[in-house]
Amino acid sequence: MASNPDQARLCVLGSIIMDMVVPVPRFARPGETVLAGSPRRHPGGKGANQAVAAARLGAAASLIGTVGDDADGRAMMAAIAGEGVDVIGVAVDNAEPTGTAVVSVAPGGENSILASAAANLRLTPERVRACRGVIGAADVLLMQLEVPLGAVVEAARLAREAGTAVVLNAAPVPEAGNGGVGGVPAELLAMTDVLIVNESEAAAIAGPVQDLNQGLARLAGYGPRVVIATLGERGVRYSVDRGVASEVEAFAVEAVDSTGAGDAFVAAFAVRWAEHQAAQALDAMGILDAVCWGAAAGALATRTAGAMPAMPRRGEVVGMLRRTDGG
Ligand code: ADP
């Protein structure tokens, strides 16, 4: 991994999933066989997507996760490492195959997804502890919730110990039956510096509220310094230090596929946060700038089909931000 002293150092902990995309004339009903078109395999999973996005955006990125001891696992490792992501924290597990998702896509673009986390469920707190050095060397630890909560909580703890900032993309929201705050452990929120959710995740975690602002305030009450809700083509709303919520409009683009917009947003925000943190510029302007980077990257990701292939490069994000600055 090429790295220079000014480069943001991002450690991503999360899922690694091989997506198998199959075109179908319509979705199968129970008991029915539908003849489908040729399957295509794409590396995916929120962890892998966000790590690749961070590398494309210029960060020194590393990934912590688990794959199976199989051809998909080796293909995923090669694809991720080929993007310049350090995969020293990716364990190969003998007990479970690499995570797989079967994505049926009907004419018109509607999809139906069967996801099997498989080896991703083998990311244990012990394996996370083996990556203590990787977490401690990063400016920011970025996580999502497609891997076991115990691993995420352990990583957050190690990050806090080391002074590494914790950015949590609480997606997908765990079953509320697990307790905590809408299924997210309260101790995890208390160790989180920045919480990023989309609108439905915000509603699921915050519970019944009058409006989004009240939801943001409730989530901030559990500890995160910054709470961000991404609102698709309506942009972003966020609050800092429990203050009044601010908004950033979405960038106008010709969207063809919104898959991956959330992953691009989260990665770009985290990279820029790390850069401002290193420059001791995490004031209101620095945070707004990181949100704008996220919004630009999210918008760019909607212009290309798929998730990982749609992750934008640094130059594209800078170009989009300049265009709207008029500069
Ligand atoms: P998720 O995929 O997690 O639901 P969103 O759809 O909210 O996430 O997208 C994340 C961000 O990407 C949005 O806040 C927005 O800034 C940007 N974005 C998403 N869809 C569009 C769009 N159609 N046009 C412009 N920007 C978009």
Side-chain angles (χ1 to χ4, degrees), residues 145 170 173-174 176 179-185 189 195-222 224 227-229:
L145 299 178
V173 177
V181 183
V184 181
L189 292 176
L195 176 67
I196 307 179
V197 285
N198 68 17
E199 203 166 11
S200 57
E201 290 149 5
I205 301 171
V209 282
Q210 270 166 3
D211 56 24
L212 182 59
N213 285 358
Q214 198 187 25
L216 291 177
R218 186 174 290 176
L219 294 174
Y222 290 100
V227 179
I228 300 176

Side-chain angles (χ1 to χ4, degrees), residues 60-96:
S62 60
L63 178 62
I64 297 174
T66 324
V67 294
D69 186 8
D70 49 31
D72 277 348
R74 286 184 279 280
M76 291 284 313
M77 291 271 246
I80 297 165
E83 294 276 353
V85 175
D86 186 343
V87 292
I88 193 156
V90 178
V92 178
D93 188 87
N94 294 315
E96 285 281 347

Side-chain angles (χ1 to χ4, degrees), residues 198 230-233 235-236 250-251 253 255 261-262 265 295 298-299 302:
N198 68 17
T230 64
L231 310 173
E233 61 189 0
V236 189
F251 288 83
V253 286
F265 178 94
T302 69

Side-chain angles (χ1 to χ4, degrees), residues 37-130:
S38 299
R40 263 178 300 163
R41 286 162 179 272
H42 302 286
K46 289 180 193 296
N49 290 341
Q50 293 179 16
V52 165
R56 288 189 188 170
L57 292 164
S62 60
L63 178 62
I64 297 174
T66 324
V67 294
D69 186 8
D70 49 31
D72 277 348
R74 286 184 279 280
M76 291 284 313
M77 291 271 246
I80 297 165
E83 294 276 353
V85 175
D86 186 343
V87 292
I88 193 156
V90 178
V92 178
D93 188 87
N94 294 315
E96 285 281 347
T98 298
T100 307
V102 180
V103 184
S104 315
V105 183
E110 199 189 358
N111 65 27
S112 157
I113 303 176
L114 267 175
S116 171
N120 291 289
L121 298 178
R122 307 275 299 169
L123 185 58
T124 57
E126 293 71 44
R127 282 198 164 132
V128 172
R129 279 194 287 278

